[in-house]
mmCIF file of all heavy atoms in Angstrom:
data_model
loop_
_atom_site.group_PDB
_atom_site.id
_atom_site.type_symbol
_atom_site.label_atom_id
_atom_site.label_comp_id
_atom_site.label_asym_id
_atom_site.label_seq_id
_atom_site.Cartn_x
_atom_site.Cartn_y
_atom_site.Cartn_z
ATOM 1 N N LEU A 31 -0.217 17.261 -3.823
ATOM 2 C CA LEU A 31 0.263 18.717 -3.449
ATOM 3 C C LEU A 31 -0.339 19.815 -4.400
ATOM 4 O O LEU A 31 -0.081 19.546 -5.606
ATOM 5 C CB LEU A 31 1.719 18.618 -3.390
ATOM 6 C CG LEU A 31 2.464 19.964 -3.224
ATOM 7 C CD1 LEU A 31 2.166 20.505 -1.824
ATOM 8 C CD2 LEU A 31 3.976 19.869 -3.334
ATOM 9 N N THR A 32 -0.839 20.812 -3.776
ATOM 10 C CA THR A 32 -1.281 21.908 -4.642
ATOM 11 C C THR A 32 -0.554 23.204 -4.032
ATOM 12 O O THR A 32 -0.445 23.183 -2.807
ATOM 13 C CB THR A 32 -2.788 22.028 -4.471
ATOM 14 O OG1 THR A 32 -3.551 20.845 -4.853
ATOM 15 C CG2 THR A 32 -3.296 23.278 -5.234
ATOM 16 N N THR A 81 -7.728 6.493 -3.420
ATOM 17 C CA THR A 81 -8.327 5.717 -2.297
ATOM 18 C C THR A 81 -8.987 4.575 -2.705
ATOM 19 O O THR A 81 -8.937 3.464 -2.036
ATOM 20 C CB THR A 81 -9.391 6.766 -1.526
ATOM 21 O OG1 THR A 81 -8.632 7.964 -1.149
ATOM 22 C CG2 THR A 81 -9.865 6.077 -0.347
ATOM 23 N N LEU A 102 8.157 17.379 0.907
ATOM 24 C CA LEU A 102 9.204 16.682 0.150
ATOM 25 C C LEU A 102 10.151 15.844 1.122
ATOM 26 O O LEU A 102 10.757 14.821 0.767
ATOM 27 C CB LEU A 102 10.246 17.614 -0.618
ATOM 28 C CG LEU A 102 9.458 18.523 -1.642
ATOM 29 C CD1 LEU A 102 10.488 19.359 -2.354
ATOM 30 C CD2 LEU A 102 8.777 17.567 -2.619
ATOM 31 N N PRO A 148 23.930 18.110 -3.447
ATOM 32 C CA PRO A 148 24.984 18.241 -2.430
ATOM 33 C C PRO A 148 25.802 19.458 -2.770
ATOM 34 O O PRO A 148 26.045 19.821 -3.956
ATOM 35 C CB PRO A 148 25.801 16.968 -2.466
ATOM 36 C CG PRO A 148 25.617 16.494 -3.961
ATOM 37 C CD PRO A 148 24.229 16.958 -4.303
ATOM 38 N N PRO A 207 8.395 4.929 -13.838
ATOM 39 C CA PRO A 207 8.874 6.316 -13.964
ATOM 40 C C PRO A 207 9.605 6.566 -15.275
ATOM 41 O O PRO A 207 10.278 5.720 -15.831
ATOM 42 C CB PRO A 207 9.954 6.383 -12.810
ATOM 43 C CG PRO A 207 10.228 5.022 -12.603
ATOM 44 C CD PRO A 207 9.044 4.180 -12.864
ATOM 45 N N ARG A 208 9.316 7.698 -15.873
ATOM 46 C CA ARG A 208 9.972 8.068 -17.204
ATOM 47 C C ARG A 208 10.952 9.176 -16.857
ATOM 48 O O ARG A 208 10.566 10.248 -16.434
ATOM 49 C CB ARG A 208 8.988 8.543 -18.157
ATOM 50 C CG ARG A 208 9.585 9.175 -19.452
ATOM 51 C CD ARG A 208 8.511 9.693 -20.389
ATOM 52 N NE ARG A 208 9.131 10.323 -21.572
ATOM 53 C CZ ARG A 208 8.416 10.921 -22.529
ATOM 54 N NH1 ARG A 208 7.025 11.123 -22.281
ATOM 55 N NH2 ARG A 208 8.947 11.574 -23.498
ATOM 56 N N ASP A 223 10.788 22.817 -19.309
ATOM 57 C CA ASP A 223 10.390 22.846 -20.626
ATOM 58 C C ASP A 223 11.484 23.801 -21.411
ATOM 59 O O ASP A 223 12.231 23.325 -22.285
ATOM 60 C CB ASP A 223 9.061 23.537 -20.836
ATOM 61 C CG ASP A 223 8.578 23.463 -22.187
ATOM 62 O OD1 ASP A 223 9.275 23.223 -23.200
ATOM 63 O OD2 ASP A 223 7.298 23.697 -22.412
ATOM 64 N N VAL A 243 25.642 34.859 -27.308
ATOM 65 C CA VAL A 243 24.984 33.444 -27.048
ATOM 66 C C VAL A 243 25.946 32.477 -27.552
ATOM 67 O O VAL A 243 26.352 32.418 -28.667
ATOM 68 C CB VAL A 243 23.572 33.417 -27.866
ATOM 69 C CG1 VAL A 243 22.961 32.198 -27.491
ATOM 70 C CG2 VAL A 243 22.756 34.562 -27.430
ATOM 71 N N ALA A 290 18.411 28.290 -30.001
ATOM 72 C CA ALA A 290 18.131 28.804 -31.234
ATOM 73 C C ALA A 290 18.177 30.299 -31.113
ATOM 74 O O ALA A 290 17.614 30.868 -30.159
ATOM 75 C CB ALA A 290 16.847 28.327 -31.909
#
Side-chain angles (χ1 to χ4, degrees):
L31 176 63
T32 303
T81 301
L102 301 184
R208 176 184 174 186
D223 187 347
V243 182

